[in-house]
Amino acid sequence: MVIRILVRRNFYCDSVALMTLSRSLAALAGVEDAAAVMSTQMNQTLLKQAGLLTVDNAGEEIGGPNDLLVLVRAESEEAADTALQVAESGLQARRSNQTDTQAQQRPVSLEQAVQRQPSLNLACISVPGAYAAIQARQALLAGLHVFLFSDNVSLEQEIALKTLAAERGLLMMGPDCGTAIINGVGLGFANVVPRGPIGIVSASGTGLQQVSCLIAEYGLGISQALGTGGRDLSQTVGGRAMLAGLDLLQRDPHTNVIVLLSKPPAPEIARRVIASAAQIAKPTVIAFLGATPGDSEAQPSAHLHFASTLSDAARMAVQLAGGQAPRPGDALPDDARRAIQNARDALKPGQRHVRGIFSGGTLCDEAMALLSASLGPIYSNIPLRPEWRLADARTSREHTAIDFGSDEFTVGRPHPMIDADLRLRRLAQEAQDPTTAVILLDIVLGYGSHADPSSEFAPAIERARAAAAEDGRSIACVVSLCGTEQDPQGLAYQRSLFSQVGALVFTENALAARVAAEIVNKRIGTQGE
C-alpha cells in the first residue's frame, strides 16, 4: 500500500469541485481511496480516521485551512503517482477553464453583475465564510436582498448585516441559510413544490424542506418560503430575519396561512416572535421544536396554532388553508407496527442502541427530541442538553445522533446532502458495533442535493446488513426520506431502491424517529434494562 500527498498552497476550490475530484481519483485503477479537501484541522482529523493520514506520512507537509490537500492510497507507487498526475492536470484545467469562462460570460464581481443587469434585486452568496460577510455587505449596500448560503460567519457579522438590511428595508436570509423558495424559484437546497397559499419563515433549512414537502404531499403549495439562518432566534441575533419575514408574509396577498419554524429558540426571542405573530390577522402555525407554548408564555390567540413536530405543522397549515391532511394521532399506522415487530423479532441480545446519521440539523433535533422521550439520553454533537454532548463526535456512545451538516464537518468539504462520503463511512462503522440495533438516516432530495442518493446509500445499507448477518446479527435501517415526486431524484424511485434493500422508509421524519424508538424501546423492556 502506498500513500501520496499533494499540497497546493493558497489554492481554493469549491466543495463540489473537490468532491468530484475525490471521486474521479478513487475510481482510477489501482487506487484504494482518495480525498481532495481544504486542509482544515477537522478534515485532517477525518483523514486520519479514514487511514489516509498515518504515522508513516505524519512528518509530511500538509498545509493549513487555505491550502488544498490531495491524498491517494493506492496498491502501487505507479498507481499513486498516476493518480496525483491526474489530480494536477484536473486542477490546472479547472483553473484555466474558470478563467476563460469568467472572462467571456460571467461577471467577476457583484458590482459588475449589477451594472450589467440593473434590475437585479437579490444576491445569492456562497463563498468561504471568511469572505462571505464582505460580499453580503456589498450586496446590501447595492440595494439587493441577500440569500447567504455560506456558513462560518461570526455572530457579530451576522448582527451587523441584519441591522444594515433592516435599515435599508431589505431581507437578509442567513448566514448558513440552506434553502428558500422565492416566487416559485428554489434557492440553495430546495424541493420542487407547487405554488399555493401557505407561506413559511424558517430558521431551519431541512425543517423548511420537510414542511414544504409534506404540504405538497397533502395537496397544497407554497406562496413564499423564507430562510433566516439557524442562529436567528438566538438571544444574540434576536430574531431579526424571522420578524422581517413575518412582516413580509402578513402583507403578501398570496399568503393565507403562515408557518414559523425553528430549532429550540431562546425563550425571550420566542416570546417576541409569538407576540408579533399575535398582532397579525392571518392564521399562523408555530413549530419551535423543543419549546412549548408554556415555555414562551404565549398569550392566547384564536389564530395562533402550536405544533410540536414538523409533520404536525404541515398538517395544521394545510387544514387551516382549507385542504385535507391526515389527522395527527398517537397510534402508529398498521404497516409501521408490523415493520417494528419484524425488526424487533430479528434483534439479538445486546442489540439495544439507536444510531442516527443525519445531514439535516433540524431533522436530527426533531428525531432526538422524540427518541429521548422514550429512550432517555441521546448523545450528539448538537445535544438537546449540555450533559449529552459527545466528547468525540467520531465515536458513538449508547444512543447517538450526529448532525454531519454542522460547521465542524463542513469546513472545506461539501455539505453532506451533496457528498455522502462521511455518512457512508459512519454507517459502516455503526454496523460493526454489536450493540447497534437501529441505524436512522435522513435522505433529503431536491435541487442542490446528491443527484441519486439511493445509488450510494442503498448498496451501503445492503453491505452493512450483510456484515451484521455474518456476525449473527440483524440491523434495522430506518430512512427518513424528504422530497417530492417532482424532485429531480424522484421520490417513488428513491423509496423503491431503499425498500429493495430492506430499509424502512417514511416521508415524515417524526414517524421515522418514532419507529426507531419503538424497535429499541420494547427490546429494552424485554431485557429489563
Side-chain angles (χ1 to χ4, degrees), residues 480-507:
S480 166
L481 182 60
C482 176
T484 70
E485 197 52 50
Q486 287 68 42
D487 283 331
Q489 302 90 344
L491 182 67
Y493 173 74
Q494 296 294 320
R495 180 200 289 269
S496 68
L497 292 185
F498 282 115
S499 298
Q500 287 173 18
V501 296
L504 308 178
V505 186
F506 303 92
T507 56

Short mmCIF file of all heavy atoms in Angstrom, two decimals, residues 480-507:
data_model
loop_
_atom_site.label_atom_id
_atom_site.label_comp_id
_atom_site.label_asym_id
_atom_site.label_seq_id
_atom_site.Cartn_x
_atom_site.Cartn_y
_atom_site.Cartn_z
N SER A 480 -35.56 8.33 6.82
CA SER A 480 -36.46 9.48 6.75
C SER A 480 -36.22 10.13 5.39
O SER A 480 -35.18 10.76 5.17
CB SER A 480 -36.13 10.46 7.89
OG SER A 480 -36.75 11.71 7.66
N LEU A 481 -37.16 9.97 4.47
CA LEU A 481 -36.98 10.41 3.08
C LEU A 481 -37.79 11.68 2.84
O LEU A 481 -39.02 11.67 2.86
CB LEU A 481 -37.45 9.30 2.13
CG LEU A 481 -37.29 9.54 0.64
CD1 LEU A 481 -35.83 9.77 0.26
CD2 LEU A 481 -37.85 8.36 -0.16
N CYS A 482 -37.08 12.78 2.62
CA CYS A 482 -37.72 14.09 2.44
C CYS A 482 -37.62 14.50 0.98
O CYS A 482 -36.52 14.68 0.45
CB CYS A 482 -37.02 15.12 3.33
SG CYS A 482 -37.61 16.81 3.12
N GLY A 483 -38.75 14.64 0.30
CA GLY A 483 -38.73 15.04 -1.10
C GLY A 483 -40.11 14.98 -1.72
O GLY A 483 -41.10 14.68 -1.04
N THR A 484 -40.17 15.28 -3.01
CA THR A 484 -41.43 15.20 -3.75
C THR A 484 -41.21 14.40 -5.03
O THR A 484 -40.07 14.20 -5.46
CB THR A 484 -41.95 16.60 -4.12
OG1 THR A 484 -41.10 17.17 -5.13
CG2 THR A 484 -42.00 17.52 -2.92
N GLU A 485 -42.31 13.99 -5.62
CA GLU A 485 -42.20 13.22 -6.86
C GLU A 485 -41.62 14.07 -7.98
O GLU A 485 -41.01 13.55 -8.93
CB GLU A 485 -43.59 12.70 -7.27
CG GLU A 485 -43.54 11.58 -8.29
CD GLU A 485 -42.61 10.44 -7.87
OE1 GLU A 485 -42.73 9.96 -6.75
OE2 GLU A 485 -41.76 10.05 -8.70
N GLN A 486 -41.78 15.40 -7.89
CA GLN A 486 -41.29 16.29 -8.94
C GLN A 486 -39.80 16.63 -8.77
O GLN A 486 -39.20 17.26 -9.64
CB GLN A 486 -42.10 17.60 -8.96
CG GLN A 486 -43.52 17.44 -9.51
CD GLN A 486 -44.41 16.61 -8.59
OE1 GLN A 486 -44.38 16.77 -7.37
NE2 GLN A 486 -45.20 15.71 -9.18
N ASP A 487 -39.21 16.26 -7.65
CA ASP A 487 -37.77 16.50 -7.47
C ASP A 487 -36.98 15.72 -8.52
O ASP A 487 -37.43 14.66 -8.99
CB ASP A 487 -37.33 16.03 -6.07
CG ASP A 487 -37.74 17.02 -4.98
OD1 ASP A 487 -37.84 18.22 -5.28
OD2 ASP A 487 -37.96 16.58 -3.84
N PRO A 488 -35.79 16.21 -8.88
CA PRO A 488 -35.01 15.53 -9.92
C PRO A 488 -34.73 14.07 -9.61
O PRO A 488 -34.64 13.24 -10.52
CB PRO A 488 -33.71 16.35 -9.96
CG PRO A 488 -34.06 17.68 -9.41
CD PRO A 488 -35.15 17.45 -8.40
N GLN A 489 -34.61 13.73 -8.34
CA GLN A 489 -34.29 12.35 -7.96
C GLN A 489 -35.51 11.44 -7.96
O GLN A 489 -35.36 10.22 -8.04
CB GLN A 489 -33.65 12.31 -6.56
CG GLN A 489 -32.40 13.14 -6.41
CD GLN A 489 -32.68 14.58 -5.97
OE1 GLN A 489 -33.83 15.04 -6.06
NE2 GLN A 489 -31.67 15.28 -5.52
N GLY A 490 -36.73 12.02 -7.89
CA GLY A 490 -37.96 11.23 -7.90
C GLY A 490 -38.19 10.51 -6.58
O GLY A 490 -37.44 9.59 -6.21
N LEU A 491 -39.22 10.90 -5.85
CA LEU A 491 -39.48 10.34 -4.53
C LEU A 491 -39.76 8.83 -4.60
O LEU A 491 -39.18 8.04 -3.83
CB LEU A 491 -40.66 11.06 -3.88
CG LEU A 491 -41.04 10.62 -2.47
CD1 LEU A 491 -39.93 10.99 -1.48
CD2 LEU A 491 -42.36 11.27 -2.04
N ALA A 492 -40.64 8.41 -5.51
CA ALA A 492 -41.03 6.99 -5.58
C ALA A 492 -39.84 6.13 -5.98
O ALA A 492 -39.65 5.02 -5.45
CB ALA A 492 -42.17 6.82 -6.57
N TYR A 493 -39.02 6.63 -6.90
CA TYR A 493 -37.85 5.87 -7.34
C TYR A 493 -36.88 5.65 -6.18
O TYR A 493 -36.39 4.54 -5.96
CB TYR A 493 -37.16 6.60 -8.49
CG TYR A 493 -35.85 5.99 -8.92
CD1 TYR A 493 -35.82 4.81 -9.65
CD2 TYR A 493 -34.64 6.61 -8.58
CE1 TYR A 493 -34.61 4.24 -10.03
CE2 TYR A 493 -33.43 6.04 -8.96
CZ TYR A 493 -33.42 4.86 -9.68
OH TYR A 493 -32.23 4.32 -10.04
N GLN A 494 -36.62 6.72 -5.45
CA GLN A 494 -35.69 6.61 -4.32
C GLN A 494 -36.25 5.67 -3.25
O GLN A 494 -35.54 4.84 -2.69
CB GLN A 494 -35.43 8.00 -3.71
CG GLN A 494 -34.75 8.97 -4.65
CD GLN A 494 -33.33 8.56 -5.00
OE1 GLN A 494 -32.59 8.09 -4.15
NE2 GLN A 494 -32.94 8.74 -6.25
N ARG A 495 -37.55 5.82 -2.98
CA ARG A 495 -38.17 4.95 -1.98
C ARG A 495 -38.05 3.48 -2.36
O ARG A 495 -37.75 2.62 -1.52
CB ARG A 495 -39.65 5.32 -1.81
CG ARG A 495 -40.37 4.47 -0.78
CD ARG A 495 -41.87 4.50 -0.98
NE ARG A 495 -42.44 5.78 -0.63
CZ ARG A 495 -42.90 6.08 0.59
NH1 ARG A 495 -42.85 5.17 1.55
NH2 ARG A 495 -43.42 7.26 0.84
N SER A 496 -38.28 3.19 -3.64
CA SER A 496 -38.26 1.79 -4.07
C SER A 496 -36.88 1.17 -3.89
O SER A 496 -36.76 0.00 -3.48
CB SER A 496 -38.71 1.68 -5.53
OG SER A 496 -37.75 2.26 -6.40
N LEU A 497 -35.82 1.92 -4.19
CA LEU A 497 -34.47 1.36 -4.07
C LEU A 497 -34.09 1.11 -2.61
O LEU A 497 -33.44 0.12 -2.28
CB LEU A 497 -33.46 2.28 -4.73
CG LEU A 497 -33.57 2.36 -6.27
CD1 LEU A 497 -32.46 3.19 -6.86
CD2 LEU A 497 -33.55 0.97 -6.90
N PHE A 498 -34.52 2.02 -1.72
CA PHE A 498 -34.24 1.79 -0.30
C PHE A 498 -35.05 0.59 0.21
O PHE A 498 -34.55 -0.22 1.01
CB PHE A 498 -34.55 3.04 0.52
CG PHE A 498 -33.48 4.10 0.42
CD1 PHE A 498 -33.74 5.32 -0.16
CD2 PHE A 498 -32.21 3.85 0.90
CE1 PHE A 498 -32.75 6.29 -0.26
CE2 PHE A 498 -31.21 4.80 0.80
CZ PHE A 498 -31.48 6.03 0.22
N SER A 499 -36.29 0.48 -0.23
CA SER A 499 -37.13 -0.63 0.21
C SER A 499 -36.58 -1.96 -0.26
O SER A 499 -36.67 -2.99 0.45
CB SER A 499 -38.57 -0.44 -0.29
OG SER A 499 -39.13 0.73 0.25
N GLN A 500 -36.00 -1.97 -1.46
CA GLN A 500 -35.47 -3.23 -2.00
C GLN A 500 -34.34 -3.81 -1.16
O GLN A 500 -34.10 -5.02 -1.18
CB GLN A 500 -34.97 -2.99 -3.43
CG GLN A 500 -36.07 -2.82 -4.46
CD GLN A 500 -35.55 -2.43 -5.82
OE1 GLN A 500 -34.36 -2.61 -6.12
NE2 GLN A 500 -36.42 -1.90 -6.66
N VAL A 501 -33.61 -2.95 -0.42
CA VAL A 501 -32.52 -3.47 0.41
C VAL A 501 -32.96 -3.64 1.86
O VAL A 501 -32.14 -3.81 2.76
CB VAL A 501 -31.28 -2.57 0.33
CG1 VAL A 501 -30.72 -2.56 -1.08
CG2 VAL A 501 -31.58 -1.15 0.80
N GLY A 502 -34.28 -3.59 2.08
CA GLY A 502 -34.81 -3.89 3.40
C GLY A 502 -34.93 -2.71 4.35
O GLY A 502 -35.24 -2.91 5.53
N ALA A 503 -34.69 -1.50 3.87
CA ALA A 503 -34.84 -0.33 4.74
C ALA A 503 -36.32 -0.01 4.94
O ALA A 503 -37.15 -0.25 4.06
CB ALA A 503 -34.12 0.87 4.15
N LEU A 504 -36.64 0.53 6.11
CA LEU A 504 -37.98 1.01 6.40
C LEU A 504 -38.01 2.49 6.06
O LEU A 504 -37.23 3.27 6.62
CB LEU A 504 -38.33 0.80 7.87
CG LEU A 504 -38.11 -0.64 8.39
CD1 LEU A 504 -38.44 -0.71 9.89
CD2 LEU A 504 -38.96 -1.63 7.60
N VAL A 505 -38.88 2.91 5.16
CA VAL A 505 -38.83 4.26 4.60
C VAL A 505 -40.09 5.03 4.97
O VAL A 505 -41.21 4.53 4.78
CB VAL A 505 -38.69 4.21 3.06
CG1 VAL A 505 -38.48 5.62 2.51
CG2 VAL A 505 -37.52 3.31 2.66
N PHE A 506 -39.89 6.26 5.48
CA PHE A 506 -41.02 7.11 5.86
C PHE A 506 -40.74 8.53 5.38
O PHE A 506 -39.62 9.02 5.45
CB PHE A 506 -41.20 7.12 7.38
CG PHE A 506 -41.40 5.75 7.96
CD1 PHE A 506 -40.32 5.00 8.42
CD2 PHE A 506 -42.66 5.18 8.02
CE1 PHE A 506 -40.50 3.72 8.94
CE2 PHE A 506 -42.85 3.90 8.53
CZ PHE A 506 -41.77 3.17 9.00
N THR A 507 -41.79 9.20 4.89
CA THR A 507 -41.61 10.59 4.44
C THR A 507 -41.76 11.59 5.58
O THR A 507 -41.47 12.75 5.39
CB THR A 507 -42.61 10.93 3.32
OG1 THR A 507 -43.94 10.68 3.79
CG2 THR A 507 -42.33 10.13 2.06
#
